[in-house]
Amino acid sequence: TAVAARKFGMDIILFLDDPMPPVFGGNLLLDVILGAEIRFLGCVTYPEVEKAMAEEAAKLTSQGRTPYVIPVGGSTPLGAMGYVTGVREAAGQLKELGAEDVDIVIALGSAGTAAGVLLGCDLFLPSANVIGISVSRPADKAFARAALIANEAAKIVGVGAPDSRRLRVYDEYIGEGYAVPTSEGIEAILMAARTEGLILDPVYTGKTMAGLIDLAHKGEIGRNRPVLFWHTGGAGGLFACEEL
């Protein structure tokens, strides 16, 4: 988000729900390089972060500025549209491969990715399924949030709500909690790097790949249909880890 803001000449204020760390590594180092103003709010809830952002936006508006508030993960109906267009592109590639009957595996956190992929599949890949590997929320709450965002995103493009039955969410791979690495996630990171040169991260894509591997071993995916792993980035997070 900070990179995109700088690209378009925008100032940046980041509100983080953590105390200030002794060392700025990983994504925080990138934020410093980008010249973002970073506000550490301590161990607070998402509603408290949203309240702090809203108050700052009101202050800036009163000063004649034009603030644009982006919530956690950019997970809004408008934000999900990026993944809708991403699925449109992927649909063309899959058609060339003859692999449109596919199971798409994604990381599911604040649910914007899942919402966009769900709606995108409804529009461009009607025979695809979406497999969400939750990295933070219980499966039922993650599913409900993804479906809600997808339904609102559908209104933007003037179509009906997508068929949420194509979305399956698994929460068995979270481990001790959000951003806490798991042994299975670390194994998946090392395997992906050493077999495919694919760099994953311990917060999102590592746990997602661990879920993909386990579901494939169980025969729940990959038996009769090809599997598409949707890499959502996060490699910068590796450099905040002391060791794997």
Side-chain angles (χ1 to χ4, degrees):
T1 303
V3 169
R6 280 295 182 229
K7 179 69 175 176
F8 290 96
M10 302 169 71
D11 292 330
I12 312 150
I13 305 176
L14 303 178
F15 291 79
L16 306 183
D17 59 337
D18 285 298
M20 182 183 294
V23 177
F24 282 31
N27 289 326
L28 280 178
L29 177 58
L30 296 177
D31 295 333
V32 172
I33 292 171
L34 291 161
E37 179 182 340
I38 307 173
R39 299 188 185 180
F40 295 97
L41 304 182
C43 297
V44 299
T45 63
Y46 283 156
E48 289 175 296
V49 175
E50 291 168 354
K51 181 175 181 291
M53 288 194 295
E55 290 174 349
E56 181 64 22
K59 176 183 175 182
L60 291 169
T61 299
S62 70
Q63 296 172 354
R65 303 290 297 276
T66 308
Y68 188 84
V69 177
I70 299 179
V72 172
S75 294
T76 65
L78 181 61
M81 296 306 299
Y83 281 99
V84 174
T85 58
V87 173
R88 180 176 63 186
E89 180 180 352
Q93 297 170 352
L94 290 168
K95 185 175 182 179
E96 292 178 1
L97 296 171
E100 295 172 278
D101 297 339
V102 65
D103 291 333
I104 302 176
V105 180
I106 56 171
L108 203 169
S110 54
T113 300
V117 173
L118 173 60
L119 177 56
C121 286
D122 223 57
L123 295 172
F124 307 112
L125 279 173
S127 58
N129 295 317
V130 183
I131 312 299
I133 306 299
S134 177
V135 299
S136 55
R137 291 181 169 87
D140 56 343
K141 292 183 178 179
F143 178 92
R145 180 172 172 80
L148 176 63
I149 296 173
N151 292 348
E152 292 301 310
K155 297 177 182 178
I156 294 176
V157 292
V159 298
D163 183 1
S164 60
R165 291 175 297 179
R166 74 169 70 246
L167 172 64
R168 303 204 307 267
V169 179
Y170 295 85
D171 59 10
E172 299 94 321
Y173 310 102
I174 296 173
E176 294 182 12
Y178 175 74
V180 180
T182 63
S183 58
E184 296 82 2
I186 292 171
E187 289 176 12
I189 290 172
L190 297 177
M191 185 209 72
R194 295 172 184 180
T195 60
E196 295 289 338
L198 186 66
I199 305 301
L200 308 177
D201 79 283
V203 179
Y204 295 96
T205 49
K207 290 183 178 180
T208 304
M209 181 61 79
L212 185 158
I213 293 168
D214 185 56
L215 292 173
H217 282 163
K218 292 176 179 177
E220 294 188 37
I221 59 174
R223 177 171 292 179
N224 302 310
R225 295 160 60 93
V227 176
L228 168 62
F229 175 76
W230 197 297
H231 195 330
T232 50
L238 277 171
F239 301 98
C241 296
E242 294 183 1
E243 61 182 22
L244 284 181

